């Protein structure tokens, strides 16, 4: 049976251990304000990818209180700074333009540059029951990231959804404790 690591507060050291080496990419993708992506040549070494959930990771998930927690955003900034990771939004927030805009502004206010958000996973279901499948599809459909180091942070146990894909790539947070 799949076994996920549950951490009340995720340290950048724990997440950094998921990223162990660099690989070269031919292109970068940038998420635009309208939610679309553009692909541009990348000349520097590739960055690890962090599939980022929001509810229960960057906020305390209590129904009706979807406010982002600035302390959790600072934790994410430390993770991004320490690992050099680019972000791929895998949260339900990616399905709603206004939520995605709020997230983008909050990330920038926390000091995470807009170009560090390089995409969002495809929508394949209504809720979180196929999030692992959406991550797999993103990895499969983006030839420019083949072989990249990656990790997913979520309050939903994604490793149960696809143990082969997520084993060693997944950090589970407590939805009431966050990142």
């Amino acid at each position: 049976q799949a076994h996920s690591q549950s951490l009340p507060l995720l340290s950048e050291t724990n997440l950094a251990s998921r990223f162990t080496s660099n690989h070269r990419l031919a292109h970068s993708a940038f998420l635009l304000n309208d939610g679309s992506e553009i692909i541009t040549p990348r000349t520097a070494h590739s960055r690890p990818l962090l599939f980022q959930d929001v509810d229960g990771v960057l906020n305390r998930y209590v129904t009706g209180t979807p406010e982002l927690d600035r302390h959790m955003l600072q934790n994410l900034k430390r993770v991004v700074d320490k690992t050099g990771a680019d972000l791929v939004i895998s949260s339900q927030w990616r399905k709603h333009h206004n939520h995605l805009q709020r997230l983008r502004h909050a990330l920038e206010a926390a000091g995470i540059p807009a170009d560090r958000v390089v995409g969002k996973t495809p929508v394949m279901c209504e809720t979180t029951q196929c999030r692992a499948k959406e991550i797999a599809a993103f990895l499969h459909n983006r030839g420019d990231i083949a072989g990249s180091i990656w990790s997913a942070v979520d309050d939903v146990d994604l490793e149960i959804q696809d143990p082969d894909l997520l084993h060693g790539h997944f950090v589970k947070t407590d939805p009431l404790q966050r990142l």
Side-chain angles (χ1 to χ4, degrees):
Q1 181 179 5
H3 188 273
S4 296
Q5 181 178 4
S6 182
L7 301 170
L9 291 174
L10 176 67
S11 73
E12 57 269 17
T13 302
N14 292 332
L15 188 54
S17 69
R18 301 289 196 267
F19 305 125
T20 57
S21 66
N22 292 323
H23 297 269
R24 298 193 70 79
L25 293 181
H27 299 87
S28 293
F30 296 97
L31 191 61
L32 301 177
N33 286 337
D34 65 2
S36 62
E37 294 178 87
I38 59 170
I39 308 261
T40 59
R42 173 176 270 179
T43 56
H45 69 276
S46 72
R47 296 177 178 152
L49 294 174
L50 180 59
F51 289 89
Q52 185 65 53
D53 184 29
V54 173
D55 291 326
V57 178
L58 297 178
N59 66 15
R60 184 179 292 219
Y61 188 67
V62 179
T63 304
T65 59
E67 295 303 316
L68 295 165
D69 184 315
R70 64 184 175 88
H71 298 291
M72 298 305 105
L73 289 163
Q74 285 302 309
N75 286 348
L76 177 60
K77 181 182 181 342
R78 283 192 296 275
V79 168
V80 168
D81 288 348
K82 184 167 184 149
T83 64
D86 283 334
L87 302 174
V88 178
I89 307 305
S90 56
S91 169
Q92 293 290 96
W93 285 49
R94 77 194 190 287
K95 298 177 182 180
H96 307 284
H97 180 72
N98 60 333
H99 284 72
L100 202 52
Q101 287 297 95
R102 280 181 48 215
L103 177 60
R104 180 185 323 281
H105 292 303
L107 292 171
E108 288 178 5
I112 300 171
D115 68 348
R116 296 308 284 270
V117 179
V118 297
K120 57 186 179 177
T121 55
V123 176
M124 302 173 87
C125 60
E126 290 295 315
T127 62
T128 61
Q129 76 270 18
C130 68
R131 190 160 290 165
K133 185 176 182 179
E134 293 167 338
I135 290 170
F138 184 91
L139 291 168
H140 177 76
N141 292 332
R142 291 282 303 273
D144 61 317
I145 61 170
S148 291
I149 304 289
W150 64 273
S151 188
V153 178
D154 208 303
D155 64 316
V156 172
D157 191 348
L158 302 181
E159 195 167 354
I160 287 175
Q161 294 177 13
D162 189 336
D164 292 335
L165 175 69
L166 274 295
H167 184 75
H169 294 277
F170 177 59
V171 177
K172 184 180 185 310
T173 63
D174 180 316
L176 297 178
Q177 295 295 316
R178 310 157 325 254
L179 177 66

